[in-house]
Amino acid sequence: MKKMVFVSFFTILFVLVIATEPSNGLTCEQEKSLLMPCLDFVTKKTVEPSSLCCKGLNQIISLPLEEMLSAGTCLKEAVSHIPNLDKDRIINLPEACKLNLHSHLQRL
């Protein structure tokens, strides 16, 4: 249940992007798995994201545009189920991971 709940936070990170196409590269479960390690950070259980969290986030934001949008749809579904979700931490996750989200999003 936590796994499913966690992944939804990623949608907020991408400004609640809504897409209708399924991901061709990763399944929704794989996308959730990649971001599961971020759950403790976005719920304030840890002060910084783990390296696994940052690696998973980098993998998601490095996907081709269609797949990244699909990941947003997949993850949006679980957002409402995450207790104690800190939206500021979600928004700042790329910075906390020292990832340049701007360069990834220039593809948009």
Side-chain angles (χ1 to χ4, degrees):
M1 171 103 173
K2 274 189 172 182
K3 188 175 186 180
M4 189 169 152
V5 170
F6 163 75
V7 179
S8 297
F9 92 84
F10 190 73
T11 300
I12 294 173
L13 180 63
F14 283 104
V15 194
L16 299 173
V17 173
I18 298 175
T20 57
E21 296 296 316
S23 173
N24 293 324
L26 297 173
T27 67
C28 186
E29 289 303 315
Q30 289 170 321
E31 294 162 355
K32 291 176 185 180
S33 263
L34 286 171
L35 295 177
M36 186 60 151
C38 300
L39 186 57
D40 286 345
F41 178 72
V42 300
T43 57
K44 294 185 173 181
K45 291 180 183 175
T46 61
V47 295
E48 59 185 38
S50 69
S51 61
L52 284 176
C53 165
C54 295
K55 286 178 187 177
L57 178 60
N58 188 51
Q59 190 170 345
I60 293 288
I61 64 176
S62 296
L63 290 170
L65 179 59
E66 294 83 19
E67 291 180 41
M68 185 174 59
L69 295 175
S70 181
T73 299
C74 165
L75 301 173
K76 180 182 179 191
E77 194 174 305
V79 171
S80 63
H81 302 290
I82 300 174
N84 304 317
L85 183 65
D86 186 317
K87 292 179 184 178
D88 289 330
R89 284 194 174 201
I90 292 169
I91 291 168
N92 293 314
L93 185 58
E95 182 180 335
C97 286
K98 297 177 178 62
L99 298 175
N100 186 347
L101 184 59
H102 179 72
S103 68
H104 287 289
L105 295 179
Q106 285 180 342
R107 302 176 303 196
L108 298 175

